[in-house]
Every structure is written in structure tokens, then in C-alpha cells.
């Protein structure tokens, strides 16, 4: 995982905590932050396409169409977790070759 990718994951962790607060408070600002999170994930996957999670397109479409619902946040968080795991696996495979 490049340091650049790690920066996006670190930024997601900060956004994630803020989103949890916004969701609890039913704050409409959460939609804009969710969009920013989607873009963060897209930046990561643009750099490393082989880390793309299963059903990525369908899942991001679902997130975008339900952007202000908690289920969309859960799904986006899962995509970040899966991407991070795949990147770690790719990095490990590259080191062992």
C-alpha cells in the first residue's frame, strides 16, 4: 500500500467518526461528507484497480441512491475495510515474489 493510499484511509477514519456524529444528530451535512468518502475510495481504486471490492459498482450505486441513510454509511465503511484488506494482501504478495 502506498503512503498515498494510507493517507486516504487515515482521512476516511476521521470522516468516519464525523459521519457517525452527523448520523446520530440527523445532520443533513452527512450527505456531503458521504460523497467525499466515495471520492476518497475512488482515488484509492484508481491507483490500484486490483484492490477493487466485489460488486463495487453495484454497491457504490446503492450508496449514492441512499446517501442520507445509515445503511449507505455501513456499506461505504465495508468497502473501505475490504479495499484495505485487499491492498494488504497485494502488498504481501509483492513482497514474497
Amino acid at each position: 500500500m502506498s503512503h498515498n493510499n494510507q493517507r486516504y484511509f487515515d482521512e476516511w477514519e476521521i470522516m468516519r467518526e464525523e459521519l457517525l456524529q452527523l448520523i446520530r444528530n440527523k445532520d443533513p451535512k452527512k450527505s456531503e461528507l458521504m460523497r467525499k468518502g466515495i471520492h476518497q475510495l475512488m482515488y484509492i481504486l484508481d491507483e490500484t484497480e486490483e484492490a477493487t471490492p466485489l460488486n463495487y459498482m453495484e454497491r457504490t450505486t446503492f450508496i449514492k441512491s441512499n446517501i442520507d441513510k445509515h445503511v449507505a454509511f455501513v456499506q461505504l465503511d465495508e468497502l473501505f475495510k475490504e479495499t484495505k484488506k485487499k491492498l494488504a494482501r497485494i502488498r504481501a504478495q509483492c513482497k514474497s515474489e
Side-chain angles (χ1 to χ4, degrees):
M1 183 181 338
S2 77
H3 293 292
N4 200 20
N5 282 339
Q6 186 57 50
R7 180 177 64 96
Y8 292 127
F9 285 110
D10 293 343
E11 287 176 15
W12 169 247
E13 285 304 314
I14 293 165
M15 278 192 272
R16 183 184 183 282
E17 292 306 312
E18 192 176 336
L19 274 164
L20 286 170
Q21 286 296 336
L22 294 173
I23 290 166
R24 275 189 214 109
N25 298 329
K26 298 183 180 359
D27 191 318
K29 291 179 197 163
K30 67 183 175 240
S31 298
E32 191 54 43
L33 201 53
M34 285 287 292
R35 283 186 193 87
K36 188 175 177 186
I38 292 166
H39 286 104
Q40 293 286 90
L41 187 63
M42 289 168 62
Y43 291 137
I44 295 167
L45 295 173
D46 281 348
E47 285 186 20
T48 319
E49 282 186 35
E50 60 269 24
T52 303
L54 200 61
N55 301 326
Y56 169 73
M57 293 305 292
E58 295 89 344
R59 292 162 77 186
T60 52
T61 300
F62 171 82
I63 292 166
K64 289 174 185 174
S65 61
N66 293 283
I67 200 115
D68 55 349
K69 296 183 181 153
H70 186 260
V71 291
F73 165 76
V74 171
Q75 191 62 238
L76 184 57
D77 194 38
E78 284 302 311
L79 285 172
F80 268 96
K81 289 176 187 171
E82 290 172 32
T83 301
K84 193 170 189 174
K85 283 181 192 171
K86 279 190 158 192
L87 284 170
R89 193 175 321 123
I90 291 164
R91 189 177 64 222
Q93 286 172 343
C94 288
K95 283 183 179 176
S96 67
E97 290 175 359

